[in-house]
Amino acid sequence: MPTLYNRIANQNLDRLSALSDGVFAFAMTLLVLDLRLPEPGMVHSEHDLWRALGALAPSLVIYLMGFLTLGIFWNGQQTQLNYIERGDRDLAWIHLAFLFTITLMPFSTRLLAEFVHYRAAVLVYWANILAPGALLYTSWKYVSGKEMIRKETPLEIQAAICRRVFTAQCLYAVGAALCVFGSLWSVAFIFALQLNYAIAPRLPGRRKIASAV
Amino acid sequence: MPTLYNRIANQNLDRLSALSDGVFAFAMTLLVLDLRLPEPGMVHSEHDLWRALGALAPSLVIYLMGFLTLGIFWNGQQTQLNYIERGDRDLAWIHLAFLFTITLMPFSTRLLAEFVHYRAAVLVYWANILAPGALLYTSWKYVSGKEMIRKETPLEIQAAICRRVFTAQCLYAVGAALCVFGSLWSVAFIFALQLNYAIAPRLPGRRKIASAV
Amino acid sequence: MPTLYNRIANQNLDRLSALSDGVFAFAMTLLVLDLRLPEPGMVHSEHDLWRALGALAPSLVIYLMGFLTLGIFWNGQQTQLNYIERGDRDLAWIHLAFLFTITLMPFSTRLLAEFVHYRAAVLVYWANILAPGALLYTSWKYVSGKEMIRKETPLEIQAAICRRVFTAQCLYAVGAALCVFGSLWSVAFIFALQLNYAIAPRLPGRRKIASAV
Amino acid sequence: MPTLYNRIANQNLDRLSALSDGVFAFAMTLLVLDLRLPEPGMVHSEHDLWRALGALAPSLVIYLMGFLTLGIFWNGQQTQLNYIERGDRDLAWIHLAFLFTITLMPFSTRLLAEFVHYRAAVLVYWANILAPGALLYTSWKYVSGKEMIRKETPLEIQAAICRRVFTAQCLYAVGAALCVFGSLWSVAFIFALQLNYAIAPRLPGRRKIASAV
């Protein structure tokens, strides 16, 4: 029997959403904070400055990748919460754990930007995709078991949400496994996968791939 | 045919607004974070401190300019979202892309503050005005095409929103082009333009300019 | 005649509140970010660590003062917005200007923490109290003139809001003027004033002072 | 008699919640910001990078502990606010004081991560758990005395909220007292206590402990 306190805590999902939006907004903005300005002492002409800015391009691509990851998880969490009727204490803690993995994202993104040629960095990054995915899956299983999903939600949507997380995580695992051939293969695969999730449905030619995932 | 998951994602615009407000609030506060304190070792009198503070004035003007840019885009996005009935996944990603460009703003503002005499810095800054403008335009075109605009919105408002973005971007492009004469001309023109957007409608004498844009 | 675009922008105050809360939350948290950890190399015993922590106390008091300032302005803005029926573009820009001065607060607080013995630092800090106060005053005058205040607001409340800002700013100006005798007099007076605003109404003995301001 | 201004301020709890969510979101994300990347110059092989990442594990555990602390207080504040009918100025300032202690959390967490073998760091950390707990207790006593609690709240819930804070703080005090045997005993006890609060109710075997607290 749960304590009285635990039964009354966190029945309202609004503040959980607000906290999550704050964490995501902050993590997204932090990503780019690490783009360092060119050293003023090294810049003596327009050409120097363009070259220094060009040297930032690889980091920028990694940050874009981190932003995509955050965007995908923000979308995923939001879609779930929209279908949940009410919260409880355990659900709040599942989502706090989810948010903890999100706060680690700026770290693992910077790690990847700095050590992109190392498998260790790729695997840490992948672990940071796996963990929030697993927690979103846990969250959905939890609310399914406790009948906390909105009554009007069709059954096929309930299945779709689980399937979505599961398929995506399998593909990310494939991406991570590619690092036996070289870390850049992993990065390229994961990046392509994320771009597909983000923009594919808008490109007619790619619709079939998107609908398969 | 979009997947089931994609059809159900992001129908609610509230969290998109909340995420955007978080990103804007954070980017606005970060701008000023780079104002460095005078070195305590260099300050031996009131006069030294005033002089050191005076030396920060040009940076402060650039940060004010960055704040104006963020304020203008925050206004623009908010006005749009107010007229949109419901969201979908693609709209969420258009706005996430928009927010990505917003997170780059503290970087390009700092770049401009540090390298204001270089055309490269001005052009990067301008690109960072062009990109969110183009994405807001895309967003409005998208919701117009999909009939996601609130029913009660008069047609002339729909046209006004597009025209606004388009005219402003043309003027910014003129400002950027001025950097062939010198980067400071660009900065001055863009700054004046932004001040006009922000405060002009309150000055009787300038009403005509404002109503022209 | 304002343009069509300007008439339709920012009618909704919710996002202005959300943006403000984000800026205040961020500025409040940033204040403390500058508390530096003691240098590990300098700490060889419990006693060293206690002493190093004790040395942070003056900075902590200044940060508390900065937090009080932010809390007072957050309260002031919120009370106003509660009585405003709807927004418009000009009101949004008045509040964006207000938020700009708020984003400067971590800078002027750090300046005061570092240079508390210099009048220049006290005057900059005071200017950073004067500016948001003046903008809140402008905001209230603006909505009064445009009849944007909620119908049910009693007239004496409308007067109370103006009087509050005005009296407080006069007292802060007195505090700033005290720096002719020494900057610490100013700091002590302003701090006492802020504590009075924050906690006085809860101390029976001080009620009369609070009701006088 | 409170002034008119003070009677009208802060009747709405929504913005207090929004400000709190912003402060918590920011403090949570800041915690991890201090995880430093391994020095690129020190990493010459996969093995070096794994070892450098392994060396971050103790810090990560401390940050997880800081996150748990923040999560527990976020939960506690939210549960309270859900049962409060309306706010007033004094309640707003009690919660602003609560938020001030929350903004100190990233500092005391970093202090603990750096000086985990010093009792001083443990006691500062404990003080930073005691203070927000005491303020939440004050807040609940205040709204109880002023009849600001929602009418429909059962009396046993009102008692449960006080008991919860009180029991938890007693246990934390026991944890802090353990530092006479060594600071790590305190850290381990407090960490175990926090994990119990966060996850215990989901483990059948531990239910009795959780319901006892």
Side-chain angles (χ1 to χ4, degrees):
Chain A
M1 195 200 71
T3 64
L4 178 60
Y5 183 84
N6 289 348
R7 265 191 291 125
I8 61 175
N10 292 102
Q11 290 175 358
N12 187 316
L13 287 175
D14 288 350
R15 285 203 57 192
L16 187 57
S17 299
L19 183 75
S20 305
D21 290 331
V23 169
F24 274 103
F26 190 46
M28 284 171 173
T29 321
L30 273 183
L31 285 177
V32 189
L33 202 59
D34 259 290
L35 275 189
R36 300 223 181 290
L37 284 193
E39 273 298 315
M42 306 291 284
V43 172
H44 305 292
S45 67
E46 292 284 344
H47 184 246
D48 287 355
L49 186 52
W50 282 118
R51 201 162 44 187
L53 289 171
L56 292 175
S59 297
L60 194 60
V61 170
I62 300 282
Y63 292 134
L64 177 56
M65 190 170 153
F67 195 92
L68 282 172
T69 306
L70 288 170
I72 287 168
F73 282 116
W74 179 78
N75 265 324
Q77 189 208 21
Q78 182 191 0
T79 305
Q80 265 202 28
L81 290 181
N82 276 345
Y83 286 101
I84 299 180
E85 181 77 40
R86 58 183 169 79
D88 67 6
R89 218 188 79 99
D90 292 356
L91 186 68
W93 277 105
I94 294 172
H95 281 268
L96 282 169
F98 169 77
L99 291 179
F100 182 69
T101 64
I102 295 301
T103 63
L104 292 173
M105 191 61 75
F107 173 78
S108 46
T109 304
R110 267 182 296 146
L111 186 76
L112 190 59
E114 188 74 55
F115 299 101
V116 71
H117 295 291
Y118 288 87
R119 280 195 300 276
V122 173
L123 291 175
V124 166
Y125 191 81
W126 168 66
N128 211 341
I129 292 180
L130 179 64
L135 285 159
L136 279 187
Y137 191 85
T138 307
S139 155
W140 193 248
K141 281 292 168 203
Y142 178 76
V143 293
S144 305
K146 287 262 196 157
E147 309 199 343
M148 287 152 71
I149 299 175
R150 283 182 197 287
K151 294 288 171 286
E152 67 271 23
T153 314
L155 273 179
E156 73 253 38
I157 283 182
Q158 304 192 21
I161 287 179
C162 270
R163 204 168 51 228
R164 171 72 165 205
V165 176
F166 190 75
T167 320
Q169 289 296 333
C170 287
L171 289 168
Y172 285 127
V174 169
L178 283 179
C179 79
V180 298
F181 301 115
S183 62
L184 289 180
W185 285 103
S186 286
V187 172
F189 186 90
I190 292 176
F191 192 39
L193 197 59
Q194 292 178 322
L195 279 177
N196 178 59
Y197 276 115
I199 67 173
R202 311 193 58 229
L203 306 175
R206 286 198 155 179
R207 192 150 286 170
K208 226 168 267 163
I209 304 173
S211 80
V213 299
Chain B
M1 196 200 70
T3 63
L4 178 59
Y5 183 85
N6 289 348
R7 267 190 292 125
I8 62 175
N10 291 102
Q11 291 174 358
N12 186 316
L13 286 176
D14 288 351
R15 285 203 57 192
L16 186 58
S17 300
L19 183 75
S20 304
D21 289 332
V23 168
F24 274 102
F26 190 48
M28 284 170 173
T29 321
L30 272 182
L31 284 178
V32 189
L33 202 59
D34 259 289
L35 275 190
R36 299 223 182 290
L37 283 193
E39 273 298 315
M42 306 291 285
V43 173
H44 306 291
S45 67
E46 292 285 342
H47 184 247
D48 287 354
L49 187 52
W50 282 118
R51 201 163 44 188
L53 289 170
L56 291 175
S59 297
L60 195 61
V61 170
I62 301 283
Y63 292 135
L64 177 56
M65 189 171 154
F67 195 92
L68 283 171
T69 307
L70 289 171
I72 287 167
F73 282 116
W74 178 79
N75 265 324
Q77 189 209 20
Q78 182 191 357
T79 305
Q80 264 202 28
L81 289 182
N82 276 345
Y83 286 101
I84 299 180
E85 181 77 40
R86 58 183 168 77
D88 67 5
R89 217 188 79 100
D90 291 357
L91 185 69
W93 278 104
I94 293 172
H95 282 267
L96 283 168
F98 169 76
L99 292 179
F100 183 70
T101 65
I102 295 301
T103 64
L104 292 173
M105 191 61 74
F107 172 79
S108 47
T109 304
R110 266 183 295 147
L111 187 75
L112 189 60
E114 187 73 56
F115 298 101
V116 71
H117 295 290
Y118 287 88
R119 279 195 302 276
V122 173
L123 290 175
V124 166
Y125 192 82
W126 169 66
N128 210 343
I129 292 180
L130 178 64
L135 285 159
L136 280 188
Y137 191 86
T138 306
S139 156
W140 194 248
K141 281 292 168 202
Y142 178 76
V143 293
S144 305
K146 286 262 196 156
E147 309 198 343
M148 287 153 70
I149 299 175
R150 283 183 198 286
K151 295 287 171 289
E152 67 272 24
T153 314
L155 273 180
E156 73 253 38
I157 285 182
Q158 304 193 21
I161 289 180
C162 270
R163 204 169 52 229
R164 171 74 164 203
V165 176
F166 191 74
T167 321
Q169 289 295 333
C170 288
L171 288 168
Y172 286 127
V174 169
L178 284 179
C179 78
V180 298
F181 301 116
S183 61
L184 289 180
W185 285 102
S186 286
V187 172
F189 185 90
I190 292 176
F191 192 39
L193 197 58
Q194 292 179 321
L195 279 177
N196 178 60
Y197 276 116
I199 67 173
R202 312 195 58 228
L203 305 175
R206 286 196 154 179
R207 193 149 284 170
K208 225 168 269 164
I209 304 173
S211 80
V213 300
Chain C
M1 195 200 71
T3 63
L4 178 59
Y5 183 86
N6 288 348
R7 266 191 291 125
I8 61 175
N10 291 101
Q11 291 175 359
N12 186 316
L13 286 175
D14 288 351
R15 285 202 59 191
L16 186 59
S17 300
L19 183 75
S20 305
D21 290 331
V23 168
F24 274 103
F26 190 46
M28 284 171 173
T29 321
L30 272 183
L31 284 178
V32 190
L33 202 59
D34 259 289
L35 274 191
R36 299 222 182 290
L37 283 193
E39 274 297 315
M42 307 292 284
V43 173
H44 305 292
S45 66
E46 292 285 343
H47 185 248
D48 287 355
L49 187 51
W50 283 118
R51 201 163 42 187
L53 290 170
L56 292 175
S59 296
L60 194 61
V61 170
I62 301 282
Y63 292 135
L64 177 56
M65 189 170 154
F67 195 92
L68 282 171
T69 307
L70 289 170
I72 287 167
F73 282 116
W74 178 79
N75 265 324
Q77 188 208 22
Q78 182 190 359
T79 305
Q80 264 202 28
L81 290 182
N82 276 344
Y83 286 101
I84 299 180
E85 181 77 40
R86 59 183 168 78
D88 68 4
R89 217 188 80 99
D90 291 356
L91 186 69
W93 277 104
I94 293 171
H95 281 268
L96 283 168
F98 169 76
L99 291 179
F100 182 69
T101 65
I102 295 301
T103 63
L104 291 173
M105 191 60 76
F107 173 78
S108 48
T109 304
R110 267 183 295 148
L111 186 76
L112 190 59
E114 187 74 58
F115 298 100
V116 72
H117 295 290
Y118 287 88
R119 281 196 300 278
V122 173
L123 291 174
V124 166
Y125 191 82
W126 168 67
N128 210 342
I129 292 179
L130 179 64
L135 285 159
L136 280 188
Y137 191 86
T138 308
S139 155
W140 193 248
K141 282 291 168 203
Y142 178 76
V143 293
S144 306
K146 286 262 197 157
E147 309 200 344
M148 288 152 70
I149 299 176
R150 283 183 198 287
K151 295 288 171 287
E152 67 271 24
T153 313
L155 273 180
E156 73 252 39
I157 285 183
Q158 305 191 21
I161 288 180
C162 270
R163 204 169 51 228
R164 170 75 164 202
V165 175
F166 191 75
T167 321
Q169 289 296 334
C170 288
L171 289 168
Y172 286 128
V174 169
L178 284 179
C179 79
V180 297
F181 302 115
S183 62
L184 288 180
W185 284 103
S186 285
V187 171
F189 185 90
I190 292 176
F191 192 39
L193 197 59
Q194 292 179 321
L195 279 177
N196 178 60
Y197 276 117
I199 67 173
R202 311 195 57 229
L203 305 176
R206 288 195 153 180
R207 193 149 286 169
K208 225 166 270 163
I209 305 173
S211 80
V213 300
Chain D
M1 194 200 71
T3 62
L4 178 60
Y5 183 86
N6 289 348
R7 266 191 291 125
I8 61 175
N10 292 102
Q11 291 176 358
N12 186 316
L13 286 175
D14 288 351
R15 285 202 58 191
L16 187 58
S17 300
L19 182 75
S20 305
D21 289 332
V23 169
F24 274 103
F26 190 46
M28 284 171 173
T29 321
L30 272 183
L31 285 178
V32 190
L33 202 60
D34 258 290
L35 275 189
R36 299 222 182 292
L37 282 193
E39 273 297 315
M42 307 291 284
V43 173
H44 305 293
S45 66
E46 292 284 343
H47 184 246
D48 288 354
L49 187 51
W50 282 119
R51 201 162 43 186
L53 290 170
L56 292 175
S59 296
L60 194 60
V61 170
I62 301 282
Y63 292 135
L64 177 56
M65 190 170 151
F67 195 92
L68 282 171
T69 306
L70 289 171
I72 286 167
F73 283 115
W74 178 79
N75 265 325
Q77 189 209 22
Q78 182 191 359
T79 305
Q80 265 201 28
L81 289 182
N82 277 345
Y83 286 101
I84 300 180
E85 182 77 38
R86 58 184 169 79
D88 68 5
R89 217 189 80 99
D90 291 355
L91 186 69
W93 277 105
I94 294 172
H95 281 268
L96 283 169
F98 169 77
L99 292 179
F100 182 69
T101 65
I102 295 302
T103 63
L104 292 172
M105 192 60 75
F107 173 78
S108 47
T109 303
R110 266 182 297 147
L111 187 75
L112 190 59
E114 187 74 56
F115 299 101
V116 71
H117 295 291
Y118 288 87
R119 281 197 299 276
V122 173
L123 290 175
V124 167
Y125 192 82
W126 168 66
N128 210 342
I129 293 180
L130 179 63
L135 285 159
L136 280 187
Y137 190 85
T138 306
S139 155
W140 193 248
K141 282 292 167 202
Y142 178 76
V143 293
S144 306
K146 287 261 197 158
E147 309 200 343
M148 287 152 72
I149 299 175
R150 282 182 198 288
K151 295 286 172 288
E152 66 272 24
T153 314
L155 274 179
E156 73 252 40
I157 284 182
Q158 304 192 22
I161 288 179
C162 271
R163 206 168 51 230
R164 171 73 165 205
V165 175
F166 191 75
T167 321
Q169 289 296 333
C170 288
L171 289 168
Y172 286 127
V174 169
L178 283 179
C179 79
V180 298
F181 302 115
S183 63
L184 289 181
W185 284 103
S186 285
V187 172
F189 185 90
I190 292 175
F191 192 39
L193 197 59
Q194 292 179 321
L195 279 177
N196 178 60
Y197 276 115
I199 67 173
R202 311 193 59 228
L203 305 175
R206 287 196 154 178
R207 192 149 286 170
K208 226 167 270 165
I209 305 172
S211 80
V213 300

